[in-house]
Amino acid sequence: MKNYSFLPLGVLALGLLLSGCAGESTSDTSTEGAEDSTQISFIHWRGEDKAVLDDIITQFEDKNPDISVEMTIYPSEQYQATGQRLLQDGSTGDVFTSFPGAQFEAIASAGLFEDLNGEDFVSNFDEELISVGQKDEAQLALPYQLVFNMPVYNKGMFDELGLEVPKSWTEFQAVADTLLENGITPIAFPGADIGPNQFMNSMMMNNAPDEDVFEKLQNGEESLTNEWWVKTLEDFQLLEEKGYIQADSLGTSQDSAMAMVANEEAAMLATGSYHMSALLDLNPDLELDLMAPITVEESEAVYEGINTATFMLAVNSQSEKKEQAKEFITFLSQPEIASHYANETGQHLTVNDVEYESEVLQNTAYWIDERKTRFQPRFLITNAQIEAAVLSSIENVLGGADPMTAAEEAQQLVDENRE
Amino acid sequence: MFFRRFSLVIYALLILIPLLIVVLTSMKTIQETFRNPLGLPEAGLQFENYTAIFQEQTMAGYFMNSTIVTLFSVSLTLFFASLIAYGIIRLNNWIGNFLFILFTLGMMVPAQVSMIPLYSLMLDLNLTNSLVGLILVNISTTMPIAVFILTGFMKTLPKELFEASTIDGAGNWKIYTKVAIPLSLPSLSATAIFLFVMHWNDLLYPLLFITDNAYKTLPLALLEFQGEYSTNYPMLFTGVIIASAPMVIAYIFLQRYFVAGMTAGAVKG
Amino acid sequence: MKISKSIYLFFLPGLLLYAIFFIYPTVSALFYSFTDWDGLSSSFQFVGIDNYERAFTGDTIFRKTIGNNLKFMLVVVVFQTFVALAFALVVLKNTKTTIFLRALYFFPTILSSVSVAFIWSFIYDPSLGILNQTLELVGLGSLAQNWLGNADIAIYSLAVTQIWFHAGQMLIIFVAGLQSIPDELYEVAKIEGATKWQTFRNVTWPLLAPSATIVIAYTTIQSFKAFDLVFAMTGGGPNNSTEIVATYIFDIAFRSYQFGYASAISVIFMIIIATITFLQFKALRSDRISY
């Protein structure tokens, strides 16, 4: 039995490797775009927006025949982890997006943001909402989407049971008790994935009305063992102990939590406005609105909800095609294009003069200017280890730990990881 | 005796039931999965998820990438490692021993150790998002185990064979191709299977080096289905079945070699 | 016997790749572990042994990950070896049934870890709860658990998955080892009137030592490398209860951008693995019997 079949294969492979090494490494697989057009790369993490962005890109290329756009979408985990590395050589992400908070800081300190101050398109955005993309007088990025990271609730169910939106912690508990009596879980909480990092914002917003609290935590002026965080953990404990959130919540993923709300087994979904359209897909009869629990007395309440300006558009400072990149951002911030994007994705935007068509977007648009919301506190934690410590204290309490002990453990991690 | 049978059956069921559930779930809708996770699909055998996954995902592309990476990684690792093993046993001096130890030590190093500098190196060499880059890394990381197994085997070959050929005036290359390789076929095939399973299923390196859809391998694509379909288990399991199919088919036909390969080096190696 | 110098060319391709993509990065890791490099910037500072000091004295999570890793390893090594050996003894004789069963038990080993992670996430899912539902069905509803969401048991749930994944592979190694034991020895034991247990104790076990060494070493190394399972099933949660060293290194390097520190941890990790493997070999080392 002589079998040399793999030998030629090996030799062949070697030859291919040696000859192919040079040619294959830079990826340029786009088939679109004519020979004489400049191709820019647009990278982001919103897989669910692919269809509408493809459509917008086609329109853009029709208007600007000398530019073609190649869009690459990464899963958000991976984008968080390797996003800035992609940008470094300047060949990828002429236009890119960034999360506020830790990622924005990391990219800014690596100097990969082109300063957009003074560009015409900046005036297309709501001035109030774009400060999150500013650093040291420079406008490094322009948030495109406006998200409310606060629970979505079943308004129809509330009306049916004659419930009002609670204005204090006492009222909230009364509402939750009524729901329980009617066999409904008050809050569906996806503790296995995004629950802790989304719900912590509403839960702490009035316990710690100071917007700089996390900055102070990171430089040692504040501690998680102080009243504001211990009370937040106690509030979480109360939700758990009274059964206001479903049992075994730390094993529940966001899809299971969504299913609970869609099937009207639960009244609130502790995530954010971005889940509204998905909930309506699951159950078109739902009437939804947003509501954050007020964890203090009515008179002490400062904030009514949480907003995040995210999906921040930016130009790569290492790019050789900055002009074309800016053209694309200009296009995205046109009211009619932005409106198209908003209605297709079911998102509110930071762009001026956007027309919301869908009922959900119209009905919740009042949160943009009529309600007092604060920027998502979690994104003001710029150190990933400290953020992890804060979140783990919530998981710890939901797993049965004493709030003070959990706070102390987390504070120890904060102290270890402070720069 | 009864207890023995009973435990054999229980263990068999522990393997079979999860696999069966995977197959059944891939034929359900997501609502049905939530309603009735354990039951048979209500609509009977239906392959809508399969067609959907091929339409929505560039499954064929992921397949192609996995195939290319695995084939080249396995064949080149075998080729280079067998050259080294042959060199080591023919040299039979301190240099050979030193090299053998150098490669063997590599088996002790967890991937996480070299992962970080390797990542920077790949960026510098512009080998991220490239199948060639992935293949080169695969070859380098599995070289130690391959050298270890093949050297162990070739050491057992009678020296006289090589020496007789040398007297006949055959060069090293000729002895390697005409004597060493044909005689080492059993351990080569075992090692090939071992490497095949390892590379086909590898997640860490694609996770680190591949970000572009055009170069994703199956395990990485699968991991991302988790993000896209989160608990859409029917879709996830459809992906699992498609990604495992080649391996399962190969296993059914080449079972003996699989068993030899996955336990290579462990038994009389 | 003179051998021509051309033999040195045989080492070239493999050694070249190995040096560039394996030795160089490994040595670099050692180098970076003494710096504060973030992996992004072009410059970094030497910080002496600060990173190591931090790992040993100022990093609670790292200590926790080592603990998790050891827990996971112990459970997997003990139970997987036991299961593999117990079943190997039963399916030892070559009959149609045993050959089929061996093939079946071995089957999970060929799956990818991502696939296994998905299958077991589904089994453990609290709302779909395949496992919990099955327990209900057989009247053991009181045993239902929040398998991956309960910080006290999540790591053990992962260990069960790991055992399901690899016990068959170890079983096969044991079978091969057992089948190589000469029948005459059993004949002698029979004539001597040894009980089943005495036979196992005095014949089987000593002769099985080489395979046992391999199985335990393999299992240990595999348990340290369970990166994929943890990454895909729990991401290290809840409350870091399933974070193992491998996933922690990944987090520190790619989420917190502390390459220098991550390198230091990975060097410590390497030393721990080497030590454990070395100790196991020493403990189990027995003279191989050659026939």
Side-chain angles (χ1 to χ4, degrees):
Chain A
M1 258 305 284
K2 290 191 180 179
N3 183 345
Y4 305 139
S5 61
F6 73 91
L7 262 182
L9 195 77
V11 177
L12 178 80
L14 187 63
L16 276 175
L17 272 181
L18 296 176
S19 63
C21 249
E24 198 243 1
S25 57
T26 47
S27 79
D28 191 7
T29 51
S30 170
T31 49
E32 290 164 39
E35 287 297 306
D36 53 350
S37 74
T38 315
Q39 192 187 62
I40 57 170
S41 147
F42 171 39
I43 59 172
H44 64 87
W45 67 84
R46 293 264 315 173
E48 53 274 64
D49 298 357
K50 184 177 184 306
V52 61
L53 284 168
D54 276 336
D55 183 30
I56 288 173
I57 287 170
T58 310
Q59 291 183 45
F60 173 75
E61 287 170 345
D62 289 348
K63 276 222 169 72
N64 301 275
D66 56 337
I67 310 177
S68 64
V69 179
E70 190 193 15
M71 173 167 71
T72 316
I73 304 173
Y74 303 98
S76 68
E77 273 285 301
Q78 205 184 13
Y79 200 85
Q80 291 264 43
T82 53
Q84 46 267 65
R85 292 163 197 287
L86 299 170
L87 303 171
Q88 279 185 303
D89 65 351
S91 65
T92 314
D94 301 302
V95 178
F96 68 98
T97 57
S98 106
F99 292 93
Q103 195 190 35
F104 175 78
E105 293 296 324
I107 297 178
S109 63
L112 295 169
F113 283 119
E114 179 74 3
D115 183 6
L116 301 175
N117 223 341
E119 297 289 343
D120 289 345
F121 54 74
V122 176
S123 60
N124 296 347
F125 293 83
D126 184 330
E127 221 175 311
E128 302 256 310
L129 297 170
I130 57 173
S131 58
V132 60
Q134 291 160 356
K135 192 177 174 165
D136 310 330
E137 310 293 304
Q139 184 75 51
L140 300 180
L142 290 161
Y144 195 51
Q145 295 189 352
L146 187 63
V147 167
F148 297 100
N149 311 67
M150 50 199 280
V152 177
Y153 80 103
N154 185 333
K155 194 166 178 298
M157 183 189 284
F158 267 53
D159 293 347
E160 221 170 287
L161 296 170
L163 294 169
E164 293 283 320
V165 172
K167 293 193 182 61
S168 71
W169 196 219
T170 328
E171 281 182 31
F172 184 87
Q173 292 176 59
V175 166
D177 286 331
T178 313
L179 288 165
L180 276 179
E181 283 157 24
N182 286 281
I184 293 159
T185 305
I187 306 169
F189 177 79
D193 44 46
I194 64 171
N197 70 41
Q198 296 298 296
F199 201 33
M200 76 169 253
N201 300 300
S202 321
M203 292 297 288
M204 69 164 284
M205 69 186 180
N206 287 314
N207 291 344
D210 177 5
E211 296 245 28
D212 297 330
V213 72
F214 281 126
E215 197 183 325
K216 290 176 180 164
L217 179 72
Q218 292 190 138
N219 62 30
E221 295 169 43
E222 262 293 355
S223 163
L224 293 177
T225 56
N226 290 348
E227 166 72 12
W228 63 279
W229 188 251
V230 177
K231 174 165 183 330
T232 304
L233 292 179
E234 283 166 354
D235 294 344
F236 266 107
Q237 188 184 33
L238 180 130
L239 296 178
E240 161 82 12
E241 285 181 348
K242 291 202 167 183
Y244 296 162
I245 51 184
Q246 82 282 13
D248 290 347
S249 60
L250 288 176
T252 307
S253 62
Q254 48 179 319
D255 296 74
S256 309
M258 278 163 73
M260 288 171 70
V261 176
N263 302 337
E264 308 217 14
E265 293 159 22
M268 300 171 225
L269 176 64
T271 57
S273 57
Y274 45 85
H275 272 158
M276 285 178 153
S277 54
L279 282 174
L280 289 170
D281 286 345
L282 290 170
N283 180 354
D285 304 334
L286 292 175
E287 193 189 339
L288 300 171
D289 201 343
L290 301 161
M291 168 186 89
I294 306 296
T295 56
V296 292
E297 288 308 311
E298 191 175 347
S299 56
E300 293 167 20
V302 182
Y303 296 106
E304 296 173 285
I306 302 288
N307 75 65
T308 305
T310 179
F311 203 64
M312 307 207 287
L313 298 165
V315 174
N316 187 347
S317 65
Q318 308 298 304
S319 157
E320 287 163 9
K321 306 159 187 166
K322 293 189 183 109
E323 284 320 302
Q324 290 85 347
K326 286 170 184 171
E327 275 305 315
F328 186 57
I329 297 185
T330 305
F331 190 75
L332 286 175
S333 60
Q334 301 304 316
E336 66 276 15
I337 298 297
S339 300
H340 177 48
Y341 177 82
N343 294 315
E344 287 298 315
T345 56
Q347 300 275 10
H348 295 105
L349 298 192
T350 55
V351 177
N352 293 323
D353 310 319
V354 172
E355 308 240 338
Y356 298 112
E357 285 164 19
S358 84
E359 219 170 300
V360 172
L361 286 176
Q362 282 172 2
N363 291 346
T364 48
Y366 72 93
W367 281 96
I368 300 175
D369 15 61
E370 295 170 30
R371 290 306 181 94
K372 194 151 170 49
T373 58
R374 80 186 255 190
F375 182 75
Q376 185 182 164
R378 179 181 65 107
F379 272 147
L380 299 172
I381 313 176
T382 51
N383 175 318
Q385 299 299 107
I386 291 181
E387 184 190 333
V390 169
L391 294 173
S392 68
S393 69
I394 296 174
E395 291 171 5
N396 206 353
V397 166
L398 292 175
D402 163 67
M404 193 67 200
T405 316
E408 280 164 1
E409 278 177 24
Q411 182 56 39
Q412 191 194 340
L413 299 179
V414 171
D415 290 333
E416 285 174 4
N417 287 290
R418 279 212 320 266
E419 272 105 49
Chain B
M1 202 59 217
F2 166 77
F3 177 72
R4 214 183 252 200
R5 287 242 167 101
F6 179 74
S7 44
L8 284 177
V9 170
I10 291 287
Y11 189 10
L13 288 177
L14 283 176
I15 306 274
L16 281 170
I17 289 174
L19 299 177
L20 189 68
I21 284 175
V22 170
V23 175
L24 291 179
T25 307
S26 76
M27 310 208 175
K28 293 179 184 175
T29 61
I30 185 159
Q31 290 79 5
E32 201 184 329
T33 310
F34 273 94
R35 245 197 341 268
N36 179 16
L38 287 170
L40 293 169
E42 288 154 24
L45 299 185
Q46 44 157 357
F47 296 92
E48 276 158 36
N49 290 328
Y50 291 78
T51 46
I53 212 163
F54 271 100
Q55 276 160 4
E56 281 173 37
Q57 301 287 344
T58 42
M59 267 324 240
Y62 301 143
F63 237 101
M64 201 60 212
N65 293 338
S66 267
T67 310
I68 291 170
V69 168
T70 308
L71 279 185
F72 280 99
S73 302
V74 172
S75 54
L76 285 169
T77 306
L78 280 180
F79 180 45
F80 296 160
S82 58
L83 283 175
I84 290 170
Y86 174 75
I88 290 173
I89 59 152
R90 292 307 312 277
L91 268 182
N92 211 1
N93 62 8
W94 70 269
I95 298 177
N97 293 339
F98 168 77
L99 285 172
F100 182 66
I101 291 168
L102 185 70
F103 280 104
T104 311
L105 279 178
M107 296 192 330
M108 300 292 281
V109 181
Q112 275 72 22
V113 175
S114 54
M115 159 178 108
I116 298 159
L118 184 60
Y119 185 84
S120 317
L121 177 72
M122 298 294 278
L123 279 180
D124 293 342
L125 295 176
N126 209 352
L127 283 172
T128 54
N129 278 327
S130 127
L131 297 183
V132 170
L134 206 50
I135 292 166
L136 291 172
V137 169
N138 280 345
I139 296 171
S140 319
T141 48
T142 49
M143 195 65 84
I145 182 94
V147 168
F148 181 78
I149 297 172
L150 294 174
T151 310
F153 183 85
M154 285 193 197
K155 271 194 176 132
T156 63
L157 296 175
K159 281 212 170 23
E160 299 75 32
L161 282 171
F162 298 127
E163 284 167 7
S165 317
T166 316
I167 291 161
D168 294 345
N172 276 322
W173 177 251
K174 199 163 180 184
I175 302 174
Y176 164 81
T177 50
K178 294 274 189 260
V179 183
I181 290 295
L183 288 173
S184 308
L185 279 180
S187 80
L188 280 169
S189 67
T191 316
I193 297 271
F194 177 82
L195 296 172
F196 172 59
V197 174
M198 200 156 154
H199 291 315
W200 183 265
N201 293 335
D202 182 44
L203 171 69
L204 183 68
Y205 292 120
L207 182 74
L208 286 175
F209 304 129
I210 308 291
T211 44
D212 191 330
N213 259 326
Y215 303 110
K216 278 179 188 154
T217 57
L218 282 167
L220 183 61
L222 267 188
L223 189 70
E224 287 171 13
F225 289 0
Q226 203 184 10
E228 260 165 272
Y229 304 120
S230 29
T231 41
N232 185 342
Y233 283 110
M235 222 45 171
L236 286 179
F237 286 168
T238 307
V240 164
I241 289 172
I242 292 171
S244 317
M247 213 33 117
V248 175
I249 293 165
Y251 177 63
I252 290 168
F253 286 104
L254 302 169
Q255 217 189 88
R256 214 157 41 90
Y257 296 97
F258 264 81
V259 168
M262 295 303 287
T263 53
V267 188
K268 286 215 151 182
Chain C
M1 186 101 215
K2 211 62 198 107
I3 185 156
S4 98
K5 291 278 176 257
S6 70
I7 195 77
Y8 289 103
L9 289 176
F10 280 58
F11 297 117
L12 200 60
L15 197 57
L16 201 65
L17 286 182
Y18 186 59
I20 296 172
F21 294 101
F22 194 92
I23 300 176
Y24 166 72
T26 307
V27 175
S28 305
L30 197 60
F31 169 82
Y32 287 132
S33 71
F34 298 104
T35 70
D36 66 352
W37 189 45
D38 63 359
L40 291 169
S41 322
S42 45
S43 64
F44 51 82
Q45 309 259 309
F46 278 95
V47 293
I49 57 162
D50 282 9
N51 288 329
Y52 289 93
E53 212 170 310
R54 177 177 161 196
F56 285 117
T57 60
D59 189 346
T60 318
I61 303 277
F62 177 54
R63 282 201 292 279
K64 195 168 177 176
T65 58
I66 296 212
N68 290 340
N69 242 142
L70 291 175
K71 256 191 249 175
F72 185 76
M73 178 194 93
L74 274 178
V75 173
V76 172
V77 167
V78 170
F79 286 91
Q80 184 168 296
T81 308
F82 175 77
V83 167
L85 181 55
F87 280 93
L89 288 165
V90 180
V91 294
L92 194 52
K93 295 218 167 45
N94 290 331
T95 67
K96 270 211 166 88
T97 321
T98 55
I99 289 172
F100 168 77
L101 283 174
R102 271 184 246 157
L104 181 68
Y105 297 158
F106 185 83
F107 182 82
T109 301
I110 67 162
L111 297 172
S112 73
S113 37
V114 185
S115 304
V116 173
F118 286 170
I119 294 169
W120 280 84
S121 299
F122 186 64
I123 291 171
Y124 288 140
D125 192 304
S127 57
L128 297 163
I130 296 289
L131 180 54
N132 288 348
Q133 288 198 21
T134 313
L135 287 172
E136 297 276 347
L137 275 180
V138 295
L140 295 168
S142 55
L143 293 177
Q145 295 283 345
N146 185 4
W147 301 103
L148 294 174
N150 177 341
D152 298 330
I153 59 170
I155 190 87
Y156 302 109
S157 305
L158 290 175
V160 169
T161 304
Q162 176 77 2
I163 293 168
W164 183 87
F165 194 5
H166 287 301
Q169 190 183 354
M170 303 307 150
L171 184 148
I172 297 290
I173 296 176
F174 276 131
V175 167
L178 288 164
Q179 288 185 337
S180 66
I181 298 175
D183 281 338
E184 297 85 45
L185 293 177
Y186 287 115
E187 300 290 329
V188 172
K190 234 190 193 132
I191 294 162
E192 300 277 321
T195 62
K196 263 200 173 159
W197 169 245
Q198 283 172 324
T199 312
F200 179 81
R201 182 76 200 77
N202 299 315
V203 178
T204 313
W205 181 245
L207 289 168
L208 203 60
S211 333
T213 312
I214 296 286
V215 164
I216 290 176
Y218 250 50
T219 307
T220 306
I221 290 171
Q222 270 176 348
S223 74
F224 272 100
K225 289 183 174 172
F227 174 90
D228 303 6
L229 281 190
V230 175
F231 194 81
M233 283 174 81
T234 62
N239 191 17
N240 300 312
S241 63
T242 58
E243 188 88 80
I244 57 173
V245 182
T247 51
Y248 188 56
I249 292 171
F250 189 88
D251 277 354
I252 292 277
F254 295 101
R255 290 213 178 96
S256 300
Y257 305 106
Q258 300 171 348
F259 265 45
Y261 183 50
S263 299
I265 293 181
S266 67
V267 171
I268 297 168
F269 184 46
M270 181 163 66
I271 293 167
I272 292 174
I273 291 192
T275 312
I276 290 180
T277 330
F278 176 73
L279 289 176
Q280 282 177 344
F281 266 98
K282 269 203 97 86
L284 291 159
R285 197 84 213 160
S286 63
D287 296 332
R288 285 176 177 238
I289 295 176
S290 44
Y291 324 100

